[in-house]
Amino acid sequence: ALPDLTNRDAIKMMGDITSEYGHGGQVVPLEDALKIVDLHRGGTLAQPCYCRKYYGAIDKHTCLWFYPATEVSQKARPWEEMEPLSKDETKNLIQQFDHEGLYHAVYYAPIPYPIVMCNCEYPYCIALRARMEYGVKEAVLKGHSVSLVNAERCDGCEGSPKCMTKCPFGAIRYSPTSGRVTADPFACFGCGLCRSVCDRGALRLVDRTAFPSLKDAW
């Protein structure tokens, strides 16, 4: 069962985590998410997302736990629904989530590597709500890349840009005058969901450190 938390309690919890460990986690694009799966020992455990249960009473298996949580969780919390997955099954599921429009983020514990990958969205993610609504920046950091638009390839999808509907951070904007989209690098979290729906290949991810004004904008 979930703890009986108020919204203020949830935000304070995120603040306590980030103040102790530096930051709670970070958004990663699809290719990095798949690499992380390969780097970890063994498979994963798919579990229902606590954030969705807390904010929306929705049961969706989008939290993927890595070693050592894979060995500890089943013993420590046997009442919870958990689905063991191989590496290939995990990567297929992450690609499915990406297609659905869920961004990927890794989160930490008192060990120097990620123990869980959340595939989430606003307004359900507690970490993202802590950042977007309450200014707890370290709850979840932006990724190492930002989205860049090739204006020569963009046709604005005839006024209904698909990339704009996929962006969970409001970083994509459409101009009726030019008939194209632009990406706000300061709002972009580098999740890469926008490029996955662009039929013309007009969007790509570039290293944020290539732009002096963005190198510290996490």
Side-chain angles (χ1 to χ4, degrees):
L2 288 175
D4 184 17
L5 298 175
T6 64
N7 201 50
R8 185 182 297 274
D9 291 332
I11 301 308
K12 182 180 184 300
M13 178 179 68
M14 289 304 306
D16 290 343
I17 292 172
T18 56
S19 64
E20 183 174 358
Y21 301 119
H23 67 89
Q26 187 173 34
V27 171
V28 294
L30 176 61
E31 58 267 36
D32 286 351
L34 299 178
K35 287 178 183 177
I36 289 169
V37 174
D38 280 330
L39 288 170
H40 262 277
R41 171 178 167 182
T44 62
L45 280 178
Q47 291 186 241
C49 171
Y50 294 137
C51 297
R52 283 187 178 83
K53 280 191 172 184
Y54 176 60
Y55 281 116
I58 298 169
D59 190 12
K60 190 174 175 69
H61 285 61
T62 55
C63 289
L64 304 173
W65 292 85
F66 300 115
Y67 175 86
T70 49
E71 295 189 357
V72 175
S73 295
Q74 290 175 308
K75 295 178 181 179
R77 306 176 72 86
W79 61 89
E80 290 192 350
E81 187 179 352
M82 305 177 190
E83 182 183 0
L85 300 174
S86 68
K87 287 191 174 185
D88 285 341
E89 289 172 330
T90 300
K91 290 191 285 187
N92 288 337
L93 190 57
I94 291 171
Q95 289 173 317
Q96 176 186 319
F97 291 148
D98 198 86
H99 181 73
E100 290 177 14
L102 305 182
Y103 70 87
H104 323 292
V106 288
Y107 292 92
Y108 303 90
I111 50 178
Y113 51 85
I115 63 163
V116 63
M117 181 182 297
C118 294
N119 301 274
C120 209
E121 60 189 309
Y122 184 86
Y124 302 113
C125 178
I126 290 176
L128 185 60
R129 289 185 68 147
R131 172 158 187 164
M132 303 293 280
E133 299 177 14
Y134 296 90
V136 185
K137 174 183 167 184
E138 293 79 10
V140 56
L141 297 185
K142 298 176 180 178
H144 287 270
S145 304
V146 291
S147 187
L148 194 65
V149 180
N150 184 333
E152 293 182 358
R153 291 189 176 184
C154 177
D155 65 356
C157 297
E158 298 182 349
S160 300
K162 291 176 285 187
C163 59
M164 192 166 68
T165 63
K166 284 292 185 180
C167 179
F169 308 105
I172 304 292
R173 296 169 185 165
Y174 174 71
S175 167
T177 301
S178 68
R180 298 182 176 92
V181 299
T182 58
D184 180 354
F186 290 96
C188 180
F189 274 64
C191 68
L193 292 177
C194 57
R195 62 178 176 166
S196 66
V197 294
C198 182
D199 300 327
R200 298 176 62 85
L203 292 133
R204 62 189 178 96
L205 292 180
V206 297
D207 193 328
R208 72 170 52 247
T209 59
F211 305 93
S213 60
L214 296 177
K215 65 178 184 178
D216 297 318
W218 300 100

